[in-house]
Amino acid sequence: MDTKLVVADFEDWREAVAEAIAVLEGDGVVALPTETVYGLAADAFNAEAVARVFEVKERPSFDPLIVHIGHKRDLDLVAKVPEELEEVVDELVEAHWPGPLTLVLPKREDVPDLVTSGLGTVAVRLSAHEVMRAVAREIPIAAPSANRFGRISPTSAQAVMEELGGKIPLVIDGGACRDGLESTIVAPEMTEKGPILRLLRPGPIPKEELRKIAKVVKPKRSKEDHVEAPGQIESHYAPATPLVVVERPEDFIPEEGLRYGLLSYRGEGKGSLMEATEWAHTEVMSPGKGKLAEGAVRLFYCLRSLDAAGVDVIVAEAVSETGVGVAMMDRLRRAAAGSKK
Ligand code: TXA
Ligand code: MG
């Protein structure tokens, strides 16, 4: 299959949106930009098209998808917000939609079970990217990240082409993703002491922000020790090259004969590994002063470059676990766990 690449200009993205809608109406799938990472979209209410998403991604059907809506009021099309949670959900929506926050809520019966992997809940978000939002206004969209299962999420149309080129008919190029990491996922719940937010996946909206609205707690673990967000299995976000995260520079002891690639946070200063060995390839996420937000935007892009550089091992410097740094370290640790397999 030839994959058509259509650029959605700042001024004129309507044409691209119309092309995407035409594919979706014909039961097809299309890659769309969001502010976090690119998504592989299907009509959320068309089970056949949703099945195609799982097939193209080679994603196991026990891992549910996020539904993207186009207006705040469309939340009622897919979810049933329990009365006791209305207030906290309203506050979350007012503060963070459109934006990189996904809410897990009881689902409406007519959302296909395939979308939610048979769960009683659905994950919903309203993207801040005008292309995704314009498409979702016409058709609620089920869209996981547009990568093959378990691999690095794409933050540019070029990266989508590397992942899924030849497998899907259309990719809409909406530029580089503004946030660069997948959305923060929370499940609001009511307890005797008031509402809580279970943080199922750290992301661009940090805990510090969520805490202003309600108490933030860790995900529950069930008896089988499966995390509540099934996609949170450890091997996610893995490059093909083995990756290690180095917390303290003195912990890194290079092995003779191996070609190492470095993922550095700011390329200099305390904790930097730039001088630790003769690197075959280096990528610096936020050169100079080091800004976590810039590091987050560039993390997956830098990992892709390192993965393509043909090194034996990728060594990643740890970043400080504050703000979006929590999400960055989460992805790096998963990449390390996944690349061991
Ligand atoms: O930023 C994002 O969220 C991107 C863009 C494309 O929107 N999407 C994304 O989708 O990261 P995906 O499929 O790669 O990750 C969705 C995560 C998975 O970990 C999945 O297990 C979890 O959301 N999830 C989906 N529905 C859920 C539910 N009902 N309960 C708990 N977790 C759920
Ligand atoms: Mg994903």
Side-chain angles (χ1 to χ4, degrees), residues 37 57 59 63 144-147 150-151 153 182 201 236-237:
V37 301
K57 275 195 64 132
R59 177 169 172 131
D63 195 9
S145 50
N147 50 281
R151 313 242 57 113
S153 295
E182 303 87 348
R201 179 173 70 185
H236 255 56
Y237 317 106

Side-chain angles (χ1 to χ4, degrees), residues 148-301:
R148 279 166 292 149
F149 183 68
R151 313 242 57 113
I152 305 166
S153 295
T155 53
S156 67
Q158 178 57 40
V160 176
M161 290 301 266
E162 285 166 20
E163 288 291 319
L164 303 176
K167 290 184 161 187
I168 57 176
L170 180 63
V171 175
I172 305 295
D173 183 350
C177 299
R178 184 194 78 186
D179 291 319
L181 288 180
E182 303 87 348
S183 60
T184 303
I185 307 182
V186 300
E189 255 174 53
M190 188 49 84
T191 69
E192 279 169 12
K193 290 186 189 154
I196 56 163
L197 304 174
R198 278 195 199 283
L199 181 60
L200 304 186
R201 179 173 70 185
I205 297 180
K207 217 194 256 183
E208 292 86 334
E209 281 299 315
L210 299 171
R211 244 187 233 132
K212 294 178 187 165
I213 295 173
K215 188 173 176 206
V216 179
V217 300
K218 287 200 188 114
K220 265 190 231 149
R221 282 178 181 270
S222 71
K223 285 196 195 89
E224 303 83 45
D225 209 33
H226 279 150
V227 185
E228 207 174 337
Q232 290 303 69
I233 41 184
E234 277 225 309
S235 66
H236 255 56
Y237 317 106
T241 314
L243 180 143
V244 292
V245 184
V246 174
E247 311 259 350
R248 297 173 311 170
E250 58 271 30
D251 293 344
F252 174 61
I253 299 153
E255 225 176 277
E256 200 64 40
L258 284 185
R259 284 164 52 81
Y260 287 97
L262 175 66
L263 178 67
S264 179
Y265 174 43
R266 56 197 195 92
E268 57 183 55
K270 194 169 156 267
S272 172
L273 287 164
M274 286 298 271
E275 309 299 330
T277 189
E278 191 83 23
W279 301 104
H281 188 102
T282 55
E283 291 288 339
V284 181
M285 288 190 276
S286 182
K289 271 197 168 151
K291 292 194 186 71
L292 282 174
E294 183 183 29
V297 168
R298 290 187 18 88
L299 175 62
F300 288 158
Y301 170 82

